[in-house]
Amino acid sequence: MNVKIDPWSSTNIVDYSKLFEEFGIMPFDDLYPRIDNPHRLMRRKVIFGHRSYEYVLDAMQNKEPFAVMSGFMPSGHIHLGHKMVMEEIIWHQQKGADAFVGIADREAHSVRGISWEKCRDTGINEYIVSLIALGFEPHGHIYFQSSSDNVKDLSFELGSKANFSELSAIYGFTGETSVSHMVSAITQSADILHPQLEDHGGPKPTVIPVGADQDPHMRLTRGLAHKMNMFKIEGRENKDGQHYFSIRSKAAPQGALEELHDTIPGNTKLFEGHLDVLGADNFEELLRTVRDVELRYGGYAFVPPASTYHRFMSGLQGGKMSSSIPESHIALLDDPREGAKKVKRAKTGGRISLEEQKKLGGEPDKCSVYDLLLFHLLEDDQELLQIHEACVTGQRTCGSCKNLAAERMEKFLKEHQEKRELARERLDEYCL
């Protein structure tokens, strides 16, 4: 790709298919048929890709433990892009996930220079209040990076497995990058992995809903999860073509391999530094046994975190919607009437003239107003499809879409802000 993916920039991604080819992100379409009552962002292919989400789906369908986690940097006003992620978290919570939301104040302080006091004020009064208003339940976990001992301690441990060369390759860090900025990247990995700590029930599939620009954090964290684990399981074949598994020690304590040898049923052969398991036909059962032994010996046994990726909303004037570009977004705290005015001033996918619009049709897939309907303002898929069809065939003008979106936006903002006042009264339920 010509554009480097950077979690801290306002760079827009134009061709999402390149992410499949260059970064190994998998298409979400393959998993969609397995999902019961999918979220509208899934139905409408806004969520376009994933890493290892099949393991989360397995846990969801089998009523086994799984978690959802994502975070928000309190560097500006909460807007519709943040609302997308919050809705994905809440959907997974409703499906049975143990839900975690981190306020990335360490990141905001190191990368944006925002004071700790401002981070806390913005984190609570913008992000957390809106999260609760959107439906996040109090049995979930909301925390600030700077006040979570679990996250801080784990980030220190993870730091021992990361080096500057790796961070530079993933993030483009240079000799000018501050150490605090690098620490904040490792802290993100601790955010992602800490739902699997013993305090939260131990290893489990965990999904991180993010925009595609956050994939560098996922690549770093998945690599660190592997490095932190005591064992690596490899599938192999012997000279007779017989398949077997080899469990390799990566600095496991003395006795751990011996215990695996005594625990795993069937034909096992113990060597120095590894254990070969012949005839095992259930990899998942073998993996659970290895994780159980690792936990008994003080290891983490992390399950590599999964992720889902959603497309960016168009900014109101084109490009990417970003909290650092005020004219690009509608904030959830905007005056409802002002929000409606922003919609009416937004860039559309319409033609230069009404005559050309009727002749050639509009381009809803390049329209920020249509994106507002697609991502947020219309729940009825059939109604959205009719609007799309009427636009591309020239039967619908930009004015009618703007009026509809403006009316829906004003209503949403008014109702959300009323729910925020009720949510503020419930803050004590969330153990901040």
Side-chain angles (χ1 to χ4, degrees):
M1 297 177 70
N2 293 325
V3 178
K4 184 176 181 67
I5 296 179
D6 178 355
W8 299 288
S9 77
S10 298
T11 303
N12 197 20
I13 295 174
V14 178
D15 187 354
Y16 287 91
S17 67
K18 293 291 185 183
L19 302 179
F20 301 140
E21 300 167 15
E22 299 198 21
F23 296 105
I25 293 173
M26 301 300 293
F28 197 79
D29 286 352
D30 297 342
L31 297 180
Y32 179 78
R34 293 181 53 191
I35 300 172
D36 180 43
N37 191 24
H39 192 275
R40 70 173 179 281
L41 298 176
M42 296 174 177
R43 299 195 310 264
R44 297 173 184 180
K45 300 187 179 183
V46 173
I47 295 175
F48 69 91
H50 75 96
R51 290 188 191 273
S52 300
Y53 190 67
E54 62 270 20
Y55 298 110
V56 174
L57 268 182
D58 288 343
M60 189 186 302
Q61 292 172 339
N62 295 325
K63 307 299 181 184
E64 296 173 348
F66 71 103
V68 59
M69 187 278 151
S70 202
F72 302 93
M73 182 166 65
S75 59
H77 294 304
I78 182 172
H79 59 66
L80 294 173
H82 301 118
K83 172 179 173 282
M84 289 169 55
V85 178
M86 291 180 176
E87 287 184 326
E88 289 180 62
I89 294 169
I90 291 165
W91 182 87
H92 282 95
Q93 187 183 44
Q94 291 169 347
K95 292 290 186 179
D98 196 8
F100 296 77
V101 174
I103 302 299
D105 55 343
R106 277 189 155 193
E107 183 183 17
H109 185 71
S110 64
V111 178
R112 307 287 191 216
I114 300 172
S115 71
W116 296 111
E117 294 78 9
K118 180 66 174 175
C119 285
R120 184 160 185 86
D121 179 70
T122 302
I124 292 175
N125 293 309
E126 296 236 6
Y127 292 84
I128 294 174
V129 170
S130 275
L131 176 70
I132 297 170
L134 289 168
F136 189 84
E137 293 293 338
H139 55 81
H141 313 267
I142 305 174
Y143 67 94
F144 285 79
Q145 288 176 330
S146 63
S147 58
S148 171
D149 289 339
N150 272 339
V151 169
K152 289 187 287 187
D153 291 346
L154 182 55
S155 67
F156 184 82
E157 294 287 341
L158 295 173
S160 69
K161 300 295 184 181
N163 57 52
F164 175 74
S165 295
E166 184 176 18
L167 295 178
S168 177
I170 293 175
Y171 296 107
F173 288 165
T174 69
E176 301 300 313
T177 305
S178 73
V179 174
S180 290
H181 192 162
M182 297 181 212
V183 169
S184 78
I186 300 298
T187 304
Q188 297 264 8
S189 294
D191 284 326
I192 291 168
L193 290 173
H194 94 279
Q196 299 190 53
L197 295 178
E198 185 178 357
D199 288 356
H200 298 303
K204 64 180 76 65
T206 303
V207 59
I208 319 299
V210 290
D213 60 338
Q214 301 299 304
D215 185 58
H217 294 317
M218 295 307 304
R219 282 183 274 133
L220 174 66
T221 307
R222 286 168 65 88
L224 289 174
H226 283 295
K227 291 178 182 180
M228 293 293 287
N229 290 346
M230 290 180 179
F231 300 104
K232 179 180 181 181
I233 306 177
E234 299 176 344
R236 297 188 172 191
E237 280 190 7
N238 61 22
K239 61 183 179 181
D240 298 322
Q242 181 184 13
H243 179 79
Y244 69 97
F245 293 106
S246 184
I247 303 171
R248 322 293 290 189
S249 170
K250 301 189 300 177
Q254 187 174 1
L257 271 176
E258 287 85 348
E259 183 165 338
L260 279 172
H261 178 258
D262 295 338
T263 303
I264 297 171
N267 189 2
T268 62
K269 294 183 179 181
L270 181 62
F271 302 89
E272 184 175 352
H274 71 278
L275 174 70
D276 290 348
V277 183
L278 286 74
D281 56 1
N282 190 329
F283 175 75
E284 292 302 321
E285 184 176 324
L286 177 64
L287 184 59
R288 281 193 293 270
T289 300
V290 171
R291 284 177 178 152
D292 288 344
V293 170
E294 177 169 342
L295 291 171
R296 286 201 291 274
Y297 278 80
Y300 291 101
F302 288 129
V303 179
S307 47
T308 57
Y309 300 94
H310 58 254
R311 292 194 293 108
F312 295 131
M313 281 189 66
S314 301
L316 296 179
Q317 301 304 321
K320 174 185 171 184
M321 181 173 287
S322 171
S323 58
S324 60
I325 308 175
E327 64 272 16
S328 75
H329 69 263
I330 294 175
L332 300 193
L333 276 68
D334 277 349
D335 178 272
R337 287 171 295 183
E338 180 57 31
K341 289 178 182 177
K342 282 187 178 182
V343 173
K344 291 188 176 182
R345 295 194 296 264
K347 181 180 177 181
T348 71
R351 303 294 179 173
I352 295 174
S353 66
L354 179 60
E355 181 182 358
E356 192 172 325
Q357 177 90 358
K358 290 181 177 179
K359 180 179 178 182
L360 300 176
E363 298 179 287
D365 298 328
K366 298 180 180 179
C367 178
S368 64
V369 175
Y370 180 76
D371 264 6
L372 290 172
L373 299 173
L374 172 74
F375 284 68
H376 296 285
L377 299 177
L378 282 184
E379 191 65 36
D380 188 324
D381 291 344
Q382 189 60 39
E383 183 180 1
L384 185 71
L385 185 63
Q386 290 170 353
I387 289 172
H388 188 281
E389 180 68 17
C391 175
V392 297
T393 57
Q395 302 172 49
R396 190 177 181 90
T397 63
C398 294
S400 58
C401 275
K402 281 188 172 183
N403 287 335
L404 174 63
E407 178 187 332
R408 294 292 181 95
M409 181 60 68
E410 184 171 356
K411 179 182 179 184
F412 163 73
L413 290 174
K414 183 175 183 297
E415 291 178 351
H416 179 69
Q417 289 167 19
E418 290 171 353
K419 290 176 181 177
R420 278 176 53 87
E421 292 309 307
L422 297 174
R424 195 179 300 279
E425 297 174 3
R426 298 179 58 207
L427 281 170
D428 288 346
E429 299 177 36
Y430 290 81
C431 302
L432 298 176

PDB file of all heavy atoms in Angstrom, residues 345-359:
ATOM      1  N   ARG A 345     -24.913  20.734   5.531  1.00  0.00           N
ATOM      2  CA  ARG A 345     -23.734  21.321   4.881  1.00  0.00           C
ATOM      3  C   ARG A 345     -22.755  20.252   4.385  1.00  0.00           C
ATOM      4  O   ARG A 345     -21.713  20.568   3.810  1.00  0.00           O
ATOM      5  CB  ARG A 345     -22.990  22.245   5.859  1.00  0.00           C
ATOM      6  CG  ARG A 345     -23.774  23.473   6.300  1.00  0.00           C
ATOM      7  CD  ARG A 345     -22.866  24.488   6.962  1.00  0.00           C
ATOM      8  NE  ARG A 345     -22.268  23.986   8.198  1.00  0.00           N
ATOM      9  CZ  ARG A 345     -22.749  24.207   9.417  1.00  0.00           C
ATOM     10  NH1 ARG A 345     -23.876  24.911   9.561  1.00  0.00           N
ATOM     11  NH2 ARG A 345     -22.149  23.734  10.474  1.00  0.00           N
ATOM     12  N   ALA A 346     -23.083  18.987   4.611  1.00  0.00           N
ATOM     13  CA  ALA A 346     -22.142  17.907   4.331  1.00  0.00           C
ATOM     14  C   ALA A 346     -21.970  17.665   2.834  1.00  0.00           C
ATOM     15  O   ALA A 346     -22.848  17.953   2.024  1.00  0.00           O
ATOM     16  CB  ALA A 346     -22.615  16.624   5.006  1.00  0.00           C
ATOM     17  N   LYS A 347     -20.815  17.092   2.502  1.00  0.00           N
ATOM     18  CA  LYS A 347     -20.515  16.715   1.123  1.00  0.00           C
ATOM     19  C   LYS A 347     -21.329  15.482   0.734  1.00  0.00           C
ATOM     20  O   LYS A 347     -21.449  14.541   1.512  1.00  0.00           O
ATOM     21  CB  LYS A 347     -19.020  16.409   0.988  1.00  0.00           C
ATOM     22  CG  LYS A 347     -18.573  16.029  -0.406  1.00  0.00           C
ATOM     23  CD  LYS A 347     -17.080  15.744  -0.436  1.00  0.00           C
ATOM     24  CE  LYS A 347     -16.628  15.299  -1.823  1.00  0.00           C
ATOM     25  NZ  LYS A 347     -15.171  14.990  -1.849  1.00  0.00           N
ATOM     26  N   THR A 348     -21.877  15.482  -0.468  1.00  0.00           N
ATOM     27  CA  THR A 348     -22.701  14.361  -0.922  1.00  0.00           C
ATOM     28  C   THR A 348     -22.059  13.683  -2.132  1.00  0.00           C
ATOM     29  O   THR A 348     -21.025  14.111  -2.626  1.00  0.00           O
ATOM     30  CB  THR A 348     -24.118  14.820  -1.315  1.00  0.00           C
ATOM     31  OG1 THR A 348     -24.030  15.568  -2.545  1.00  0.00           O
ATOM     32  CG2 THR A 348     -24.748  15.672  -0.227  1.00  0.00           C
ATOM     33  N   GLY A 349     -22.719  12.639  -2.584  1.00  0.00           N
ATOM     34  CA  GLY A 349     -22.281  11.957  -3.802  1.00  0.00           C
ATOM     35  C   GLY A 349     -23.126  12.349  -4.990  1.00  0.00           C
ATOM     36  O   GLY A 349     -23.245  11.590  -5.958  1.00  0.00           O
ATOM     37  N   GLY A 350     -23.721  13.528  -4.904  1.00  0.00           N
ATOM     38  CA  GLY A 350     -24.577  13.991  -5.993  1.00  0.00           C
ATOM     39  C   GLY A 350     -23.794  14.566  -7.155  1.00  0.00           C
ATOM     40  O   GLY A 350     -22.602  14.857  -7.053  1.00  0.00           O
ATOM     41  N   ARG A 351     -24.480  14.740  -8.278  1.00  0.00           N
ATOM     42  CA  ARG A 351     -23.867  15.298  -9.482  1.00  0.00           C
ATOM     43  C   ARG A 351     -23.872  16.823  -9.432  1.00  0.00           C
ATOM     44  O   ARG A 351     -24.443  17.438  -8.520  1.00  0.00           O
ATOM     45  CB  ARG A 351     -24.613  14.805 -10.718  1.00  0.00           C
ATOM     46  CG  ARG A 351     -24.676  13.284 -10.842  1.00  0.00           C
ATOM     47  CD  ARG A 351     -23.317  12.654 -11.069  1.00  0.00           C
ATOM     48  NE  ARG A 351     -23.414  11.195 -11.163  1.00  0.00           N
ATOM     49  CZ  ARG A 351     -22.398  10.394 -11.490  1.00  0.00           C
ATOM     50  NH1 ARG A 351     -21.209  10.908 -11.737  1.00  0.00           N
ATOM     51  NH2 ARG A 351     -22.575   9.076 -11.542  1.00  0.00           N
ATOM     52  N   ILE A 352     -23.257  17.427 -10.432  1.00  0.00           N
ATOM     53  CA  ILE A 352     -23.098  18.882 -10.442  1.00  0.00           C
ATOM     54  C   ILE A 352     -24.435  19.592 -10.568  1.00  0.00           C
ATOM     55  O   ILE A 352     -24.674  20.629  -9.960  1.00  0.00           O
ATOM     56  CB  ILE A 352     -22.151  19.296 -11.593  1.00  0.00           C
ATOM     57  CG1 ILE A 352     -20.749  18.745 -11.327  1.00  0.00           C
ATOM     58  CG2 ILE A 352     -22.111  20.812 -11.731  1.00  0.00           C
ATOM     59  CD1 ILE A 352     -19.771  18.971 -12.469  1.00  0.00           C
ATOM     60  N   SER A 353     -25.347  19.034 -11.345  1.00  0.00           N
ATOM     61  CA  SER A 353     -26.648  19.669 -11.567  1.00  0.00           C
ATOM     62  C   SER A 353     -27.769  18.658 -11.381  1.00  0.00           C
ATOM     63  O   SER A 353     -27.546  17.443 -11.420  1.00  0.00           O
ATOM     64  CB  SER A 353     -26.713  20.250 -12.989  1.00  0.00           C
ATOM     65  OG  SER A 353     -26.679  19.196 -13.944  1.00  0.00           O
ATOM     66  N   LEU A 354     -28.982  19.176 -11.186  1.00  0.00           N
ATOM     67  CA  LEU A 354     -30.150  18.313 -11.048  1.00  0.00           C
ATOM     68  C   LEU A 354     -30.370  17.507 -12.326  1.00  0.00           C
ATOM     69  O   LEU A 354     -30.716  16.318 -12.274  1.00  0.00           O
ATOM     70  CB  LEU A 354     -31.389  19.163 -10.734  1.00  0.00           C
ATOM     71  CG  LEU A 354     -32.705  18.399 -10.572  1.00  0.00           C
ATOM     72  CD1 LEU A 354     -32.609  17.388  -9.434  1.00  0.00           C
ATOM     73  CD2 LEU A 354     -33.856  19.384 -10.320  1.00  0.00           C
ATOM     74  N   GLU A 355     -30.144  18.141 -13.469  1.00  0.00           N
ATOM     75  CA  GLU A 355     -30.311  17.454 -14.752  1.00  0.00           C
ATOM     76  C   GLU A 355     -29.347  16.265 -14.851  1.00  0.00           C
ATOM     77  O   GLU A 355     -29.733  15.163 -15.268  1.00  0.00           O
ATOM     78  CB  GLU A 355     -30.065  18.433 -15.906  1.00  0.00           C
ATOM     79  CG  GLU A 355     -30.241  17.810 -17.286  1.00  0.00           C
ATOM     80  CD  GLU A 355     -29.952  18.801 -18.406  1.00  0.00           C
ATOM     81  OE1 GLU A 355     -29.647  19.975 -18.110  1.00  0.00           O
ATOM     82  OE2 GLU A 355     -30.027  18.377 -19.575  1.00  0.00           O
ATOM     83  N   GLU A 356     -28.093  16.492 -14.458  1.00  0.00           N
ATOM     84  CA  GLU A 356     -27.094  15.414 -14.519  1.00  0.00           C
ATOM     85  C   GLU A 356     -27.413  14.323 -13.507  1.00  0.00           C
ATOM     86  O   GLU A 356     -27.189  13.143 -13.757  1.00  0.00           O
ATOM     87  CB  GLU A 356     -25.705  16.000 -14.262  1.00  0.00           C
ATOM     88  CG  GLU A 356     -24.578  15.025 -14.581  1.00  0.00           C
ATOM     89  CD  GLU A 356     -23.214  15.679 -14.503  1.00  0.00           C
ATOM     90  OE1 GLU A 356     -23.103  16.871 -14.857  1.00  0.00           O
ATOM     91  OE2 GLU A 356     -22.259  14.993 -14.056  1.00  0.00           O
ATOM     92  N   GLN A 357     -27.953  14.737 -12.350  1.00  0.00           N
ATOM     93  CA  GLN A 357     -28.332  13.766 -11.322  1.00  0.00           C
ATOM     94  C   GLN A 357     -29.409  12.818 -11.858  1.00  0.00           C
ATOM     95  O   GLN A 357     -29.337  11.602 -11.663  1.00  0.00           O
ATOM     96  CB  GLN A 357     -28.844  14.497 -10.079  1.00  0.00           C
ATOM     97  CG  GLN A 357     -29.342  13.599  -8.959  1.00  0.00           C
ATOM     98  CD  GLN A 357     -28.250  13.220  -7.987  1.00  0.00           C
ATOM     99  OE1 GLN A 357     -27.114  13.594  -8.150  1.00  0.00           O
ATOM    100  NE2 GLN A 357     -28.615  12.451  -6.977  1.00  0.00           N
ATOM    101  N   LYS A 358     -30.400  13.375 -12.523  1.00  0.00           N
ATOM    102  CA  LYS A 358     -31.481  12.555 -13.060  1.00  0.00           C
ATOM    103  C   LYS A 358     -30.991  11.658 -14.198  1.00  0.00           C
ATOM    104  O   LYS A 358     -31.475  10.537 -14.382  1.00  0.00           O
ATOM    105  CB  LYS A 358     -32.621  13.445 -13.553  1.00  0.00           C
ATOM    106  CG  LYS A 358     -33.379  14.135 -12.424  1.00  0.00           C
ATOM    107  CD  LYS A 358     -34.525  14.982 -12.955  1.00  0.00           C
ATOM    108  CE  LYS A 358     -35.317  15.611 -11.810  1.00  0.00           C
ATOM    109  NZ  LYS A 358     -36.428  16.449 -12.307  1.00  0.00           N
ATOM    110  N   LYS A 359     -30.014  12.146 -14.947  1.00  0.00           N
ATOM    111  CA  LYS A 359     -29.514  11.392 -16.095  1.00  0.00           C
ATOM    112  C   LYS A 359     -28.543  10.288 -15.671  1.00  0.00           C
ATOM    113  O   LYS A 359     -28.659   9.136 -16.129  1.00  0.00           O
ATOM    114  CB  LYS A 359     -28.814  12.351 -17.057  1.00  0.00           C
ATOM    115  CG  LYS A 359     -28.250  11.667 -18.299  1.00  0.00           C
ATOM    116  CD  LYS A 359     -27.581  12.695 -19.213  1.00  0.00           C
ATOM    117  CE  LYS A 359     -26.975  12.011 -20.440  1.00  0.00           C
ATOM    118  NZ  LYS A 359     -26.286  12.996 -21.320  1.00  0.00           N
TER     119      LYS A 359
END
